[in-house]
Amino acid sequence: MGQRLRSVLAASMFAALPAVCLADDAPASDAPSKVAATRQELKEQLEGSKQSRPRLPLPPPTEEELAEAKARGAAAKARPGSGGMGGGIVNNGRLRQIHIDPALLGDRNGGSREPDPAMTVDNTFKTMLFWIVSRANNCTYCQGHQEVKLAGDGVKEDTIAALDGDWSEFTPAERAAFVFTRKLTFEPNALTDADVDRMRQHYKDLQILEIIMTVSGNNGTNRWTGPLAIPQEKHRVFLTPTAEKYKSLRSLVAPLDPNATGMVCAKPASRGELESREQVEKALDAARKRTPRLPLADDAQARSVLPADWSGSGPAPQWARLLGNFPKGGKRLADAFARVETKGKLSPVLKSKIAWVGARQDRAWYALGHAKRRLNDLGLSDDQVFALDQPDFASPPAEQAALALVRKITVDPALVTDADVEAVRKHYSDSETAEVVYLATQAASFDRLTEAAGLRLEN
């Protein structure tokens, strides 16, 4: 990559970000994980993540789990396109199954993963996008999984290393998707028509939608595994040889201060102060009049991806029409989004407040309009809804702690600490705490999907 392009990447990524980091003598519980700056440091960090202490209980696997994992591992190795993944003990899935209400997880808790015939983007390429998202969010657990999967798919070590910012060997189409992926990850609030139009130079509309779905989901997954400090599985191998050209090349994807040296904490995002109530109401009104950037399926296709017990009246919502373009992949995602509203242990009011807080931080106007409707339907006035934007809004300490964690997960997942999660555990059970995190992850995914597609707000 030329020096000019590297400079542009650095400037666009870090402009207006404040320099904030904890003191070296801060308590360990108040310190976020540092960010590996180079390829060699990343491999060492991934190896070290095997010793990560999870922020929610993760007991050792039982003999029955080990036997089941062994069988899954054998099946995964024989499955084409798996990259050797999908079998063995997977700590991410175990933590979900231990702590999340099965009714909330639904198909995410081990359901079918049949390929969708309408999806045409190469799976290995989508794994590269997941790698970039994970690097951007400093999610070592997901990063490790994508490293292993790419290697299993036959991607060379130097190619994986080049994903960290030296994109000269990739095609113009791949580079366009990498830039789009990084922006949708770091700045979903800043995505514009022009960003989607640049993608159209290389991809069809449904391929762009598939990429948006992939990257949005990746951002959700990162916000589960990273903030909960889920440990990497011990059998994975990361300390492989690194080419000299990549040993000291500093990442242009990770959330690093370009002026810092060595491993430092992530640079906080800066999306500016929240807009005033008047500005939000104008943004919601504008969202009611806009034309979606991507094609929507008809009402019948949309209803075919919605759960059988979907209770919405009238035409299917635009988010369901968007997902209706993909009969299998869309149905899995629609099921997850619908369950977020109706299943689980937390109260409907708290669940809706989490959706509001996430959408406000992401400036996701379609998602915000839906969260506002839910809160209004539950009896909250507009004054009470907008009061959630104030840091000292009148609310019980438990809710304050939960929503503070949601804000941080939404904007700065790489800066979540033990203390942030413990503040929630003081008021909620481990399962309820896990649900707070899970709802924040689903909000991050829904926000990116619906806002990148520019959906028109129905209400």
Side-chain angles (χ1 to χ4, degrees), residues 103-104 309-311 337-344 348 351 374:
L104 175 57
D309 60 352
W310 174 255
S311 59
F337 287 152
R339 287 174 184 273
V340 162
E341 293 193 23
T342 60
K343 310 296 182 183
K351 288 160 71 73
R374 288 166 59 186

Side-chain angles (χ1 to χ4, degrees), residues 95-276:
L95 197 72
R96 282 203 309 265
Q97 292 173 7
I98 290 169
H99 294 297
I100 297 292
D101 184 346
L104 175 57
L105 283 180
D107 186 54
R108 288 183 65 91
N109 197 12
S112 170
R113 287 293 182 270
E114 294 180 8
D116 191 314
M119 292 184 167
T120 60
V121 178
D122 177 73
N123 284 330
T124 300
F125 180 61
K126 289 196 288 189
T127 302
M128 289 182 178
L129 301 183
F130 200 168
W131 190 101
I132 290 172
V133 174
S134 302
R135 189 73 163 113
N137 288 323
N138 195 37
C139 179
T140 54
Y141 182 88
C142 292
Q143 189 86 66
H145 275 233
Q146 307 328 304
E147 291 263 335
V148 172
K149 189 169 183 180
L150 287 172
D153 284 349
V155 179
K156 296 179 180 179
E157 156 64 23
D158 282 7
T159 302
I160 299 174
L163 288 172
D164 225 5
D166 182 11
W167 294 345
S168 57
E169 69 177 74
F170 295 98
T171 67
E174 290 169 331
R175 293 198 296 269
F178 294 167
V179 170
F180 186 85
T181 292
R182 190 181 52 238
K183 186 168 187 177
L184 186 53
T185 295
F186 275 121
E187 302 176 295
N189 56 305
L191 207 72
T192 66
D193 290 348
D195 294 304
V196 176
D197 286 340
R198 279 189 285 272
M199 287 286 282
R200 286 195 173 102
Q201 298 175 25
H202 307 282
Y203 302 96
K204 298 177 181 177
D205 275 2
L206 288 190
Q207 291 177 317
I208 296 172
L209 174 55
E210 187 177 348
I211 288 171
I212 290 172
M213 286 175 63
T214 296
V215 173
S216 299
N218 298 160
N219 270 279
T221 302
N222 282 176
R223 284 164 169 77
W224 169 261
T225 61
L228 292 180
I230 297 176
Q232 191 66 241
E233 293 82 15
K234 295 186 184 299
H235 65 276
R236 307 200 187 281
V237 178
F238 301 113
L239 298 178
T240 58
T242 301
E244 285 296 326
K245 66 178 290 188
Y246 294 113
K247 282 185 177 179
S248 59
L249 184 64
R250 197 169 177 82
S251 173
L252 284 178
V253 176
L256 288 163
D257 182 339
N259 298 314
T261 58
M263 292 177 64
V264 295
C265 66
K267 191 111 182 201
S270 179
R271 298 180 181 177
E273 294 184 2
L274 290 179
E275 299 78 7
S276 68

Side-chain angles (χ1 to χ4, degrees), residues 347-422:
S347 71
V349 171
L350 180 55
K351 288 160 71 73
S352 301
K353 286 181 177 180
I354 289 172
W356 170 274
V357 168
R360 278 297 282 120
Q361 298 299 321
D362 284 333
R363 277 68 168 183
W365 307 117
Y366 179 88
L368 191 72
H370 275 253
K372 182 177 180 295
R373 174 190 54 76
R374 288 166 59 186
L375 288 165
N376 288 157
D377 289 348
L378 289 165
L380 274 71
S381 68
D382 283 358
D383 287 345
Q384 290 173 309
V385 173
F386 279 98
L388 293 170
D389 290 353
Q390 306 304 318
D392 57 348
F393 71 96
S395 183
E399 187 174 280
Q400 291 272 12
L403 296 183
L405 178 59
V406 170
R407 289 187 191 94
K408 200 166 189 179
I409 287 174
T410 301
V411 180
D412 285 309
L415 294 177
V416 174
T417 67
D418 292 354
D420 294 322
V421 177
E422 284 302 310

